[in-house]
């Protein structure tokens, strides 16, 4: 398949591009580079021996997108492009709504104009808001979302659902990711956050490599195994393979599928697993709870298994080892 990969220069898109190439598909990348570095494309070429076609464009530029669709016979789109920093989205909500919603509207419109019917979208477990755990796809989404970033994911899901209802030949899937961690085992591509990381794993790896003094743990008095927050961490290569599965098993209609392991891991459990994998000690201090954080959530991963024949195969230990391999070989990321 010829697959347009929006946001394909970024963290999850780059790992997915490798899996697509290895499976014999042709990814065609469009990215504005607002949160990524083209070096990842050179690294993908090093891993796969394949140079990808890359267009530097903002998805909101309809003419540019239309030209990409006109010059390539596309079979499907995987839509990773979007802004993703939760804190920033509360400070600049319009920037988030404009970027994440307008870009998807233009994409849906251009797909329709060119009769491209298969779409896989990067959604997030954040759409469950404050649902009971484990999160199941049948639970009504959208209630209790705490930030504009999360609401953009929910609104895009609703847009996709409406569009899919208007044409029963469309095959649309929203993949609801849990917490992506890890890196390609080569250490050539990985997560490359700008500035101070918001997420746990890149913070841990930056402490390990000496860029930060110590990890701050947001709360140790939750009702969890050791008082720290619990999440469902998923290796980015498992996540990448989930996209392949979603394309292969696409059927008409609009579908939502969780991509998670189904297991919860606490902050302290992740820290200790990392210490073992990397052979380093991670100094930490306990801080107050972070506003907007939920105590514990993880996926019901059964729909992905039955519908996509996909399940995670990599462990937390694999993810820690691969994250450390990436960070230690690239202390400054791609810079
Ligand atoms: P990322 O920032 O590394 O990649 C996103 C890419 O999209 C970047 O390369 C960026 O330059 C590009 N982009 C953003 N707006 C664009 C636009 N208007 N036009 C063209 N390109 C644009 O992020 P990621 O971690 O790889 O996440 C990929 C997707 O998965 C995002 O939609 C994100 O919201 C979603 N997601 C991520 C996580 C996570 O923890 N990483 C969790 C759940 C969902
Ligand atoms: C956040 C976002 C979610 C997004 C996800 C992955 C919210 C409500 N959710 O989830 O939309 O999809 O990131 O990008 O913001 N922690 C620390 N110290 C740190 C960083 C994190 O203790 O320096 C803890 C957090 O309190 C949490 C866990 O580690 O318990 C994971 O945090 P994080 O990686 O930020 O992801 P989420 O909060 O699950």
């Amino acid at each position: 398949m010829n697959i347009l990969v929006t946001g394909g220069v970024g963290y999850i898109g780059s790992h997915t591009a490798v899996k697509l190439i290895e499976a014999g598909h042709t990814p065609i990348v469009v990215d504005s580079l607002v949160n990524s570095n083209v070096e990842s494309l050179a690294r993908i070429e090093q891993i796969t021996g394949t140079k990808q076609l890359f267009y530097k464009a903002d998805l909101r530029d309809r003419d540019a997108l239309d030209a990409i669709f006109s010059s390539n016979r596309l079979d499907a789109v995987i839509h990773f492009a979007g802004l993703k920093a939760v804190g920033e989205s509360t400070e600049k909500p319009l920037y988030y709504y404009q970027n994440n919603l307008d870009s998807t509207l233009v994409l849906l419109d251009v797909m329709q104009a060119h009769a491209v019917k298969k779409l896989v979208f990067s959604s997030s477990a954040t759409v469950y808001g404050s649902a009971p755990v484990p999160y199941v796809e049948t639970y009504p989404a959208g209630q209790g979302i705490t930030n504009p970033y999360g609401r953009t994911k929910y609104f895009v899901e609703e847009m996709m659902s409406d569009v899919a209802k208007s044409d029963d030949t469309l095959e649309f899937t929203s993949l609801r990711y849990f917490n992506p961690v890890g890196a390609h085992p080569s250490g050539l591509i990985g997560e490359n956050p700008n500035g101070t990381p918001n997420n746990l794993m890149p913070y841990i790896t930056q402490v390990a490599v000496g860029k930060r003094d110590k990890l701050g743990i947001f709360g140790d008095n939750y009702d969890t195994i050791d008082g720290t927050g619990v999440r469902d961490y998923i290796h980015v290569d498992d996540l990448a393979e989930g996209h392949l599965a979603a394309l292969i098993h696409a059927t008409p209609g609009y579908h939502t599928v969780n991509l998670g392991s189904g297991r919860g891991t606490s902050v302290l459990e992740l820290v200790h697993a990392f210490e073992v994998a990397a052979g380093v000690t991670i100094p930490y201090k306990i801080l107050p709870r972070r506003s907007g954080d939920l105590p514990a959530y993880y996926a019901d991963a059964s729909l992905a298994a039955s519908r996509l024949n996909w399940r995670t195969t990599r462990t937390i230990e694999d993810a820690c080892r691969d994250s450390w391999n990436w960070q230690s070989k690239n202390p400054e990321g791609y810079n």
Side-chain angles (χ1 to χ4, degrees):
M1 277 189 272
N2 290 334
I3 301 158
L4 186 71
V5 182
T6 79
V9 182
Y11 173 44
I12 305 170
S14 58
H15 287 80
T16 303
V18 170
K19 297 290 171 197
L20 292 173
I21 293 167
E22 286 172 351
H25 301 293
T26 305
I28 293 148
V29 174
V30 56
D31 198 303
S32 66
L33 305 180
V34 64
N35 193 42
S36 50
N37 188 317
V38 277
E39 174 63 17
S40 77
L41 298 175
R43 304 285 184 93
I44 292 172
E45 191 177 344
Q46 239 178 298
I47 295 169
T48 62
T50 300
K51 191 178 175 70
Q52 296 179 92
L53 191 52
F54 168 59
Y55 296 92
K56 181 179 182 304
D58 192 304
L59 286 189
R60 290 170 293 176
D61 180 345
R62 195 185 191 289
D63 291 344
L65 198 61
D66 193 61
I68 295 169
F69 275 72
S70 294
S71 19
N72 296 281
R73 194 190 51 76
L74 296 171
D75 302 296
V77 177
I78 308 182
H79 181 31
F80 293 104
L83 299 169
K84 62 165 185 177
V86 171
E88 185 184 50
S89 80
T90 62
E91 288 150 25
K92 302 179 188 168
L94 284 178
Y95 178 50
Y96 271 67
Y97 287 126
Q98 278 160 355
N99 192 78
N100 293 1
L101 300 186
D102 286 356
S103 59
T104 309
L105 284 171
V106 172
L107 176 66
L108 289 168
D109 191 37
V110 174
M111 284 179 69
Q112 193 169 63
H114 291 266
V116 177
K117 295 175 182 289
K118 220 186 283 277
L119 173 64
V120 174
F121 169 61
S122 302
S123 189
S124 165
T126 197
V127 301
Y128 288 108
S130 48
V133 289
Y135 289 168
V136 190
E137 291 86 346
T138 48
Y139 194 86
Q143 282 153 37
I145 300 175
T146 54
N147 57 78
Y149 161 74
R151 268 186 286 277
T152 67
K153 292 293 172 196
Y154 173 62
F155 293 155
V156 168
E157 285 204 4
E158 294 289 293
M159 278 156 40
M160 286 172 63
S161 165
D162 285 338
V163 174
K165 276 183 208 140
S166 73
D167 175 351
D168 59 15
T169 64
L170 297 177
E171 300 179 348
F172 284 6
T173 309
S174 283
L175 297 176
R176 294 175 173 168
Y177 309 162
F178 283 69
N179 289 54
V181 289
H184 190 267
S186 64
L188 285 167
I189 54 172
E191 193 170 4
N192 186 40
N194 279 330
T196 309
N198 299 303
N199 297 118
L200 180 58
M201 184 63 99
Y203 209 107
I204 292 175
T205 60
Q206 291 197 5
V207 172
V209 84
K211 282 181 80 176
R212 312 208 174 260
D213 286 349
K214 57 174 66 158
L215 170 72
I217 294 183
F218 300 132
D220 67 348
N221 55 359
Y222 287 112
D223 183 17
T224 59
I225 181 170
D226 52 26
T228 63
V230 166
R231 296 290 183 271
D232 185 341
Y233 296 96
I234 169 175
H235 194 296
V236 66
D237 273 350
D238 278 331
L239 192 59
E241 287 165 3
H243 292 75
L244 239 87
L247 285 176
I248 292 163
H249 297 280
T251 54
Y254 174 69
H255 311 277
T256 57
V257 184
N258 289 340
L259 292 186
S261 71
R263 284 181 305 278
T265 302
S266 76
V267 175
L268 279 174
E269 285 175 328
L270 190 71
V271 168
H272 293 142
F274 186 89
E275 289 180 325
V276 172
V280 295
T281 301
I282 301 296
Y284 66 83
K285 62 180 174 214
I286 304 297
L287 297 176
R289 292 179 179 191
R290 180 172 66 176
S291 141
D293 267 356
L294 293 164
Y297 62 82
Y298 49 93
D300 179 323
S302 52
L303 184 66
S306 60
R307 194 184 155 76
L308 307 183
N309 191 25
W310 172 94
R311 48 189 65 72
T312 58
T313 60
R314 296 161 181 90
T315 62
I316 292 288
E317 288 72 23
D318 294 332
C320 289
R321 186 199 58 230
D322 292 336
S323 288
W324 174 235
N325 185 40
W326 153 253
Q327 182 76 76
S328 53
K329 285 181 175 159
N330 306 269
E332 302 302 326
Y334 292 119
N335 303 325

